Structure formats: structure tokens, C-alpha cells
Amino acid sequence: MENLIYLDNGATSYPKPDDVYTFMDSFYRRFGVNPGRSGYDLCMETGALVDATRKMLAGFLNGSDPNRLCFSYNSTDALNLIIFGMLKQGDHAITTTIEHNSVLRPLYHQNKFNGVEVDYIPFDTNGFVDPDDIKQKIKANTRLVIVNHASNVIGTVQPVEAIGRICREYGVPFAIDASQSAGKVPIDIEQLHIDVVAFTGHKSLLGPTGIGGLYVRQGVDIRHTRAGGTGVRSADRMHLEEYPYRLEYGTGNIVGIAGLHAGLKWIEKKGIDQIHHHEMRLTRMLIDGLSEIDGVSLHCQDDLVDHIGVISFNIDGMEALNTGTLLDGEYNIACRTGLHCAPLAHEQLGTAQIGGSVRIGIGPFNTEDHIKTAIEAVGEIVDVQKKK
Ligand SMILES: Cc1ncc(COP(=O)(O)O)c(C=O)c1O
């Protein structure tokens, strides 16, 4: 749409860098065959891009073995592989109330159908989980600690290094949901003591939808919860044990991998710190502007230390959905309203009963003008609301 101000980068990044669109098109036209299934040159060349992208992503996370980088459809898919492949009857898991449904629902299913016991650690008034609260809940049968890295509701980045250190000390596998953080915040699995990372390609990694993955550190294993074709050792009756085949099933999303490859290259060229700095400068501007409007409540935005450019707010006396509809209809501003698939976070924030919050997600292509317009628009909506 003409002149749309897109502030819904928490849902997916848009637009993508031009390189992503052009590379996906040229790659798929030239190399769009099924890699790893045959030995002809074109097939090998397609496979080379898949391998190169594995390598880039493993490097991005400081993972030592690119084969332990497995592609999935998105982070929901990767998180399902983790939660169903690492927990079984009699196990205990620890997570937080800031999680997305892609963590919560697999855990609810594991609890309901397999009796896995789960503890949900609340975040504090600033939006952070206390690592000691996690430590207090570790038991002899705790088999997984799984934590959202950066919140898709309030943008807080959890203290994963401290949590990881505790998990390592107690010998409990530690997984993070890096859906919002990968591409915005550096993730070094060694330094942060992380065992498994789930990521999605279409958000901050600037790739297309339908591609994501997970990295599994050496020494940690995920059981098969699926089985199927791998393109190699077809006579074996059982799905292969070795990575990446272990967690990859059927033909992958080749054009998605190409897009992700181009997205990663763009991030490398720009520099993750520069991208983050740009987004946080705009986030600061947005928060300062919204804070000055009497009648706007911001959630957990007191300071921007350990944050990404995702914020949530409500206009007093107004349903979040109505604010979003006005921003869209009257001002051509796209943002997201509702619970953002994180119902426990809204229960804790007290926003579940009022239809959730209005969320603004800032991306690398947003500008100061976008933010100024959004602040003015919210101010005008508040003025009209007050006159009612
Ligand atoms: C924190 C978080 N986790 C998981 C997901 C799921 O991502 P996907 O829909 O790409 O699987 C999202 C997407 O909104 C998210 O923000």
C-alpha cells in the first residue's frame, strides 16, 4: 500500500532488503532443484548454497559444527522439535510467563498428554526474569529450561548468560527461543552457555517466511519425533541419527534458504550493532514521545537497557484493537494489537482483560519520520478519546 508506515516488524520484517528478493528469484530460477538427492552438477551447486547457509548460521551463533544447524519451517516448528524431542513422561521443565505460544502450547500438550510437569517463572515489573527464581525450581528430574530471549510483547532481553550458567552448573539442558533476537542481538552459544537455539528466518534475520531452524550444541541430543526421507541411506528403516538429517525431514525450503542467505549477508554487511543501534535510537524517540502523552500507558519501558525495538502500550479507556484500527484506517500505520500469542505475559501485565496491547515493532527500514508520525497519531487519538 502506498505510503504505509510499517511498524509491525515484531510479526515479520517488512520490507526485506532488495538483495533478498532478487537473490531468491535468481537462485530459484537457476538452481531450484532438490539438493542432496542426486549427484548431477546442478544438484551439487544447490546443495552448496544450503551448506554455505548452514555454515553462516552456525558461525552467527558461534556453533562449532555446521551440521548441527538444522533447518525447519520456522521457530514454532523448531520449538516443537525441541520440546517434544527433549521431554518425556516423568520429566520436569522450567519456562517463563513471557513465552510465546510456540513454547507454551507444546508444553501444555506435553503436560496434558505425557504428564510432563512445568513451572512458569514470572518476570519482574521491568519485564525481566530473575535467574535465581529458575535455580530455585530445578529438581532432580528437570530436563529442560526453555526461555524467550527477547520478548515479542515488551522487547526485554532476558539474562540468558546467567540462566545458562546455572543450567550448566546443574547439568540441565538450556534452550532459548531466539525468534525476536536473532539478527538484532548477538548470540554466542558458548559465551551464553546455551545448548539449543530456535530461530525463525522471517523476522530479524530478514529472510522470507517458511524457513527457520535450530542449533544443537555437541553433547546435547534431541530425539526423533518424526521420520521420513533424507536423500541419503534410503535403505535404512530408521530415520538417521546424525545431524543435520536427524532433525530434517523431507525436501527443505530451498528458496527460503536462499532468501535467508541473502538476509544474513545483508546483516553482515550492515553490522548487527549498527542495525540494533538504529532501531534503539528510534525506540528511544518513540518511548520519549509516547511518555509525554497523558493517557498513554507503556509497559515495562522504563529504560532501554537489554531491549530490542519492540514496545507495547495502551490508551487509557480504549481497547487495543480500536487503537490499532484507527492507526491503520486514519493514519496508514500498521502495527499489531491483541495478545501477540503471549497470553501469560498479558495476564501478568494486567492487559489480558482489555484485549491486550498495541505493539510497535521497529525494523531497519523505519525512519525518524515514521516515529514522529506515529507519536502524533497516538496523541490525536488520545485527544479524541478524552473528548468522548
Ligand atoms: C518470541 C516468539 N517466539 C516464537 C514465534 C513464532 O515464530 P514463527 O511464527 O515464525 O514460528 C514468534 C513470532 O511471533 C515470537 O515472537
Side-chain angles (χ1 to χ4, degrees):
M1 193 193 262
E2 284 271 309
N3 300 325
L4 173 77
I5 297 181
Y6 184 80
L7 291 173
D8 195 18
N9 289 281
T12 195
S13 51
Y14 175 82
K16 310 294 177 188
D18 269 345
D19 295 0
V20 172
Y21 301 119
T22 51
F23 188 62
M24 284 174 76
D25 182 64
S26 64
F27 180 81
Y28 206 43
R29 285 175 195 278
R30 170 99 172 77
F31 297 103
V33 301
N34 202 333
R37 285 356 188 215
S38 314
Y40 51 89
D41 284 354
L42 187 60
C43 184
M44 305 297 271
E45 287 176 78
T46 309
L49 181 95
V50 175
D51 291 343
T53 312
R54 254 188 235 293
K55 212 169 163 189
M56 273 172 99
L57 281 161
F60 203 72
L61 301 169
N62 194 22
S64 56
D65 180 359
N67 283 332
R68 285 190 158 247
L69 188 295
C70 308
F71 288 109
S72 65
Y73 304 126
N74 47 43
S75 52
T76 303
D77 190 34
L79 290 160
N80 270 268
L81 290 171
I82 296 166
I83 292 168
F84 286 97
M86 295 184 79
L87 293 168
K88 58 180 184 344
Q89 196 132 33
D91 287 347
H92 169 245
I94 302 172
T95 191
T96 79
T97 56
I98 209 158
E99 303 304 311
H100 187 275
N101 270 337
S102 53
V103 168
L104 294 176
R105 284 183 174 157
L107 286 172
Y108 293 146
H109 279 237
Q110 277 282 37
N111 174 258
K112 180 166 177 178
F113 300 112
N114 296 320
V116 169
E117 195 197 341
V118 185
D119 273 309
Y120 301 88
I121 309 296
F123 51 93
D124 65 16
T125 49
N126 295 318
F128 297 98
V129 170
D130 183 343
D132 270 345
D133 290 349
I134 291 184
K135 185 172 167 176
Q136 301 306 324
K137 292 287 177 189
I138 294 178
K139 309 197 278 192
N141 63 338
T142 307
R143 295 285 173 267
L144 182 65
V145 170
I146 184 158
V147 171
N148 170 294
H149 192 196
S151 168
N152 62 311
V153 180
I154 49 177
T156 47
V157 177
Q158 297 304 326
V160 290
E161 191 198 350
I163 299 171
R165 199 173 317 112
I166 291 168
C167 291
R168 210 45 73 79
E169 187 188 330
Y170 284 81
V172 177
F174 176 43
I176 63 162
D177 169 6
S179 302
Q180 294 286 340
S181 57
K184 288 202 190 293
V185 183
I187 302 173
D188 179 329
I189 60 160
E190 290 305 325
Q191 198 194 332
L192 302 176
H193 320 292
I194 293 166
D195 293 308
V196 188
V197 181
F199 62 90
T200 202
H202 66 100
K203 295 184 194 275
S204 315
L205 292 174
L206 305 177
T209 53
I211 187 71
L214 65 168
Y215 185 87
V216 187
R217 197 179 65 84
Q218 251 144 355
V220 175
D221 276 325
I222 298 182
R223 289 188 314 278
H224 302 296
T225 42
R226 301 173 188 164
T230 50
V232 294
R233 301 219 307 275
S234 297
D236 287 8
R237 291 205 164 195
M238 294 296 127
H239 197 89
L240 306 190
E241 294 293 329
E242 68 261 34
Y243 296 86
Y245 306 112
R246 188 180 178 111
L247 298 176
E248 289 183 356
Y249 310 87
T251 301
N253 179 358
I254 302 311
V255 68
I257 291 173
L260 184 51
H261 187 90
L264 285 164
K265 276 193 148 168
W266 192 88
I267 292 169
E268 265 181 17
K269 194 172 68 189
K270 291 278 164 193
I272 193 166
D273 291 344
Q274 265 65 29
I275 297 171
H276 188 59
H277 181 262
H278 166 76
E279 293 178 0
M280 293 320 289
R281 195 174 55 80
L282 297 185
T283 308
R284 174 84 272 155
M285 196 180 149
L286 178 65
I287 286 179
D288 289 349
L290 292 181
S291 310
E292 279 176 17
I293 305 172
D294 183 30
V296 169
S297 306
L298 284 153
H299 305 293
C300 305
Q301 313 291 335
D302 292 344
D303 71 47
L304 287 177
V305 177
D306 295 327
H307 257 265
I308 57 164
V310 168
I311 69 134
S312 264
F313 71 94
N314 286 83
I315 293 180
D316 298 348
M318 246 181 121
E319 289 261 332
L321 175 66
N322 295 339
T323 309
T325 306
L326 286 171
L327 285 171
D328 175 31
E330 304 291 321
Y331 301 94
N332 215 5
I333 295 174
C335 58
R336 182 159 174 201
T337 63
L339 299 183
H340 319 114
C341 299
L344 300 186
H346 285 280
E347 272 176 32
Q348 222 191 296
L349 293 170
T351 42
Q353 307 84 333
I354 52 168
S357 62
V358 183
R359 178 183 77 186
I360 291 185
I362 293 172
F365 297 110
N366 285 127
T367 62
E368 283 189 10
D369 279 348
H370 292 164
I371 304 302
K372 273 187 206 147
T373 308
I375 296 167
E376 278 164 23
V378 173
E380 285 178 23
I381 294 171
V382 170
D383 285 346
V384 172
Q385 171 71 8
K386 279 185 184 158
K387 286 185 193 134
K388 279 189 181 161

